[in-house]
Amino acid sequence: MLSLNSIFTLSEKVKLKTLGFLNTDENDFFKNSVQSFSVGTTSFVNTENFVGRKKQITGFGKIDLTYDISKNKTLEYTGKLNQTNEKNRSDLLFNNDLLNEKLTSNNQLFDQKLVFSNKFKENKVLLFSGRYINEKTPQNYSVNQFIFNDLFTENANNTKQYSQNKMQFAGIEAHLLDKKKNDDLLEIKLGDQLRIDNLDTRFELLNNDISVALPSSYQNNLTYSTNDLYLSAKYRFKFGNYTLLTQSDFHQLFNHLENFGIKTNQNPFFIIPKIGLDWNINEKNKIVTSYSYNTNNAGVLDVYSGFVQNGFRSISKGLAEFNQLNTLNAILNYTYGSWGEKFFANTFVLYSKSNDFYSTNSIVTQNYSQSEKIIIKDREYLSISSNIDYYFKQIKSNLKITLGANKTNFKNIINNSNLREVKNFGAEYGFELRSGFKGFFNYHIGSKWNYNQVETTIKNNFTDNMSFLDLSFTFCDKLNVELQSERYLFSSLDKDVNQYYFLDIEARYTVKENKLTFFLSGNNLFNTETFRNYSISDINSSKTEYKLQPRYVLLKVEFRF
């Protein structure tokens, strides 16, 4: 990686910041997995042994220009340019069949932003901003084997897919902030945003290098544009220990979709209301609440009509129509004390309900999984999290206890079944103890448990644990040593492969402050060569094994000039 950055003071009023870097990277990746699928009367096991290599080169440039026109007026410009080229190659042994995958992709990003701010009164600020983005992400993907015999009757022995998403965004906005003498705050935003997405995908069946077919249901050529004209009004009322927040966002959309020459339009109008109440009960107790009713417009990945291959055995498609889906969100946050006090507690509750949400209708077989989006009613999500901090003066250490749980339910269709409900439940709990000694030694120790449960017609669950111990030694102003150790325990794996230990050590010696520093680091000192974990979903359970970087020691030098 090569990185260059500078700050130029062109005049008393003009400052220029430049940043540029060039990065090349090459990674080898090894993964073995066993996936057990069970849906209704269909069950099977897939094994995958994956060996991959990724090569990537990235060039990035950024310019920040600030012009202080006067004491109260400022003009800021930010320009970004990015180019990333990536090549992926893999050998995948899938159920004893060797598949060779090739994926080449690149990303081109051009991002420009201009902001003018004017503090025309002591308590009033007016902002004008404009932004333009142009991004292209073409990809070429091919597999040398044909495993879709149940989908296609053609005499093919390999596949390839070309895809490209071009995105253009242009937006302007005026933003007024007016702070009243009684600390009330008025915010008004008026803006217009235009986004145009061009999605082009071409899925092809081949026999050796000869094209056999371009299945009509597996192609896309669409342009999806959304023009959002919006007005947002927000007012914060402050009276005594209470602060009332009210906000209304008005959106007039102009949606246009052109798919293989067929044009459709939609011009929906909707309002997004938000309200919140903050209550400072006393110096130690505070409650923050909010409620919002959101409307989300469909994106390009929701409206495409042809199937797209997004993995060697997975294919998916959108809904091929306009939609605006509604979700209500309610938040409750209670805090006792503050971060700097001996005792601090915080509890956060989030409840979300989607009147309509995107789900999937899928066909899952051993060789492929094909899904298309559908809209289902009523999805709920509840999340509760708490943390408690207590400082023990006797041992000069801070104890932190964390508790959390989340629950969600949704519905989908698998293998032409009836609509089925999926319930997910997760919980986490743990503790940390961190010292604050003034001497040469400090420690940080802790442990965390994660519980996951998925319930459909059957129930599946597991619990994982991660514990850690970090030690820090400051022998003098020039020399310090840090040690980090971790232990992982996966309860659903076999006992002989369910525990993993890691140890990293780094020593730092400063020859001259902010000039010359030497680092000696050792990573994976227990030389753990593989790492396994376990996961579950509504249709499968998976055991995955990864190969890790072996033990190594590295000498680093940092020199500043």
Side-chain angles (χ1 to χ4, degrees):
M1 183 183 74
L2 173 65
S3 175
L4 299 172
N5 60 85
S6 296
I7 300 176
F8 302 94
T9 303
L10 304 181
S11 68
E12 293 183 357
K13 295 185 176 183
V14 182
K15 182 179 290 186
L16 176 66
K17 297 180 182 180
T18 61
L19 168 66
F21 72 79
L22 178 66
N23 179 58
T24 62
D25 200 6
E26 182 174 325
N27 291 310
D28 290 335
F29 188 67
F30 306 87
K31 180 181 72 172
N32 301 329
S33 66
V34 178
Q35 299 176 342
S36 300
F37 292 81
S38 179
V39 180
T41 59
T42 302
S43 62
F44 56 87
V45 176
N46 280 342
T47 60
E48 299 178 17
N49 296 331
F50 180 90
V51 179
R53 170 168 292 187
K54 181 177 74 173
K55 297 181 179 179
Q56 179 178 297
I57 180 169
T58 299
F60 176 81
K62 180 182 178 183
I63 294 176
D64 290 302
L65 181 66
T66 303
Y67 175 32
D68 295 322
I69 302 172
S70 64
K71 184 179 179 180
N72 299 323
K73 297 179 181 179
T74 302
L75 184 65
E76 296 176 282
Y77 165 78
T78 300
K80 300 177 185 178
L81 185 65
N82 183 83
Q83 174 74 45
T84 299
N85 296 325
E86 186 176 304
K87 290 184 178 181
N88 294 270
R89 300 291 184 269
S90 70
D91 293 328
L92 173 63
L93 189 62
F94 174 64
N95 295 339
N96 296 320
D97 290 328
L98 182 60
L99 281 68
N100 301 121
E101 296 179 281
K102 294 181 180 180
L103 173 65
T104 60
S105 62
N106 67 67
N107 174 264
Q108 302 172 33
L109 174 65
F110 180 72
D111 185 356
Q112 311 294 302
K113 185 178 182 181
L114 189 67
V115 179
F116 172 75
S117 60
N118 180 15
K119 188 178 181 180
F120 58 96
K121 288 187 178 181
E122 182 63 28
N123 56 349
K124 293 180 175 64
V125 177
L126 186 61
L127 302 172
F128 293 97
S129 61
R131 190 172 187 181
Y132 174 75
I133 303 174
N134 189 315
E135 186 173 20
K136 299 178 182 178
T137 54
Q139 291 186 339
N140 281 288
Y141 176 71
S142 63
V143 183
N144 75 326
Q145 295 285 349
F146 189 69
I147 60 174
F148 301 128
N149 295 291
D150 295 335
L151 277 177
F152 307 103
T153 59
E154 286 81 2
N155 183 26
N157 58 19
N158 66 98
T159 65
K160 69 178 181 179
Q161 178 179 266
Y162 166 81
S163 64
Q164 178 168 255
N165 185 9
K166 298 179 182 178
M167 189 274 289
Q168 291 189 80
F169 172 88
I172 56 173
E173 181 181 89
H175 187 184
L176 173 67
L177 295 94
D178 183 3
K179 189 173 184 180
K180 309 298 182 179
K181 292 183 180 180
N182 59 352
D183 285 338
D184 287 2
L185 179 63
L186 170 67
E187 289 188 57
I188 297 177
K189 293 181 182 179
L190 177 64
D192 190 20
Q193 295 180 351
L194 173 65
R195 174 168 175 153
I196 302 174
D197 285 277
N198 300 102
L199 180 63
D200 180 20
T201 69
R202 186 172 65 251
F203 180 73
E204 190 171 2
L205 309 181
L206 301 99
N207 191 315
N208 297 326
D209 293 329
I210 301 174
S211 178
V212 174
L214 292 167
S216 59
S217 299
Y218 295 77
Q219 319 299 321
N220 286 282
N221 184 3
L222 65 87
T223 299
Y224 179 52
S225 64
T226 297
N227 188 17
D228 182 7
L229 180 63
Y230 62 92
L231 170 66
S232 175
K234 179 180 179 182
Y235 199 94
R236 185 185 71 185
F237 300 89
K238 190 171 179 63
F239 44 95
N241 293 333
Y242 298 90
T243 301
L244 178 64
L245 301 171
T246 61
Q247 182 176 345
S248 294
D249 297 342
F250 304 86
H251 293 266
Q252 175 63 64
L253 298 183
F254 302 92
N255 292 330
H256 175 77
L257 177 63
E258 182 176 350
N259 192 10
F260 290 104
I262 300 175
K263 299 179 181 180
T264 54
N265 296 282
Q266 184 197 46
N267 303 321
F269 174 80
F270 54 85
I271 302 174
I272 300 178
K274 300 178 182 179
I275 189 170
L277 179 66
D278 299 351
W279 180 21
N280 291 317
I281 303 172
N282 51 43
E283 291 184 355
K284 290 186 176 294
N285 295 274
K286 182 179 180 180
I287 294 177
V288 177
T289 64
S290 69
Y291 172 86
S292 63
Y293 188 79
N294 298 324
T295 301
N296 297 308
N297 190 42
V300 65
L301 297 182
D302 301 319
V303 301
Y304 69 95
S305 60
F307 286 100
V308 174
Q309 185 178 13
N310 45 32
F312 79 95
R313 62 178 296 274
S314 60
I315 302 171
S316 64
K317 66 173 289 188
L319 201 58
E321 62 182 32
F322 300 115
N323 281 287
Q324 290 78 44
L325 305 186
N326 301 316
T327 303
L328 66 86
N329 295 298
I331 293 174
L332 173 65
N333 182 218
Y334 168 74
T335 57
Y336 178 87
S338 62
W339 291 102
E341 296 182 351
K342 184 177 180 179
F343 178 77
F344 173 74
N346 180 70
T347 298
F348 183 84
V349 180
L350 167 65
Y351 173 74
S352 176
K353 182 176 181 180
S354 301
N355 296 330
D356 303 290
F357 68 96
Y358 287 116
S359 186
T360 56
N361 180 1
S362 303
I363 300 296
V364 179
T365 70
Q366 186 158 23
N367 281 348
Y368 73 89
S369 171
Q370 182 168 273
S371 65
E372 55 184 292
K373 286 190 176 181
I374 56 176
I375 292 181
I376 303 297
K377 292 186 176 297
D378 298 331
R379 176 180 63 181
E380 293 182 294
Y381 174 78
L382 176 64
S383 174
I384 303 174
S385 62
S386 296
N387 62 76
I388 299 172
D389 287 79
Y390 188 84
Y391 181 73
F392 293 91
K393 188 176 181 181
Q394 298 84 350
I395 59 174
K396 296 182 179 179
S397 297
N398 188 78
L399 174 65
K400 182 175 184 178
I401 298 175
T402 58
L403 301 168
N406 61 81
K407 185 178 182 179
T408 184
N409 71 290
F410 64 94
K411 298 175 182 178
N412 61 16
I413 299 174
I414 303 291
N415 290 349
N416 299 316
S417 66
N418 295 324
L419 199 63
R420 63 183 202 139
E421 186 174 22
V422 181
K423 298 179 181 179
N424 289 317
F425 176 77
E428 62 178 29
Y429 45 94
F431 74 92
E432 298 178 27
L433 188 65
R434 184 192 295 268
S435 67
F437 305 141
K438 294 183 179 179
F440 82 102
F441 167 73
N442 274 286
Y443 68 89
H444 185 198
I445 188 173
S447 190
K448 183 177 181 181
W449 288 264
N450 286 284
Y451 173 80
N452 288 277
Q453 175 184 292
V454 178
E455 181 180 357
T456 51
T457 54
I458 60 174
K459 184 184 294 186
N460 198 353
N461 61 75
F462 67 92
T463 302
D464 294 335
N465 171 252
M466 191 277 285
S467 302
F468 66 90
L469 172 63
D470 299 340
L471 303 176
S472 175
F473 303 89
T474 303
F475 296 102
C476 61
D477 292 341
K478 292 182 176 292
L479 178 63
N480 69 281
V481 176
E482 294 185 355
L483 178 151
Q484 295 180 337
S485 61
E486 295 175 335
R487 172 185 178 267
Y488 293 86
L489 173 64
F490 300 100
S491 62
S492 296
L493 298 178
D494 296 334
K495 289 186 177 181
D496 56 336
V497 293
N498 69 346
Q499 296 186 57
Y500 299 91
Y501 296 86
F502 297 92
L503 176 63
D504 298 336
I505 298 178
E506 180 174 89
R508 173 174 177 164
Y509 182 75
T510 303
V511 179
K512 191 173 182 179
E513 188 71 24
N514 295 324
K515 288 292 184 180
L516 180 62
T517 305
F518 289 94
F519 301 85
L520 182 64
S521 61
N523 295 81
N524 193 14
L525 295 182
F526 292 140
N527 202 31
T528 304
E529 297 181 350
T530 59
F531 183 79
R532 299 171 181 85
N533 64 12
Y534 180 81
S535 63
I536 55 176
S537 74
D538 61 304
I539 60 173
N540 72 71
S541 62
S542 177
K543 297 179 181 180
T544 307
E545 175 185 283
Y546 304 90
K547 288 187 179 180
L548 302 180
Q549 185 85 356
R551 177 197 301 125
Y552 69 91
V553 177
L554 187 66
L555 175 65
K556 298 182 288 185
V557 180
E558 181 183 278
F559 177 65
R560 296 184 178 185
F561 57 92

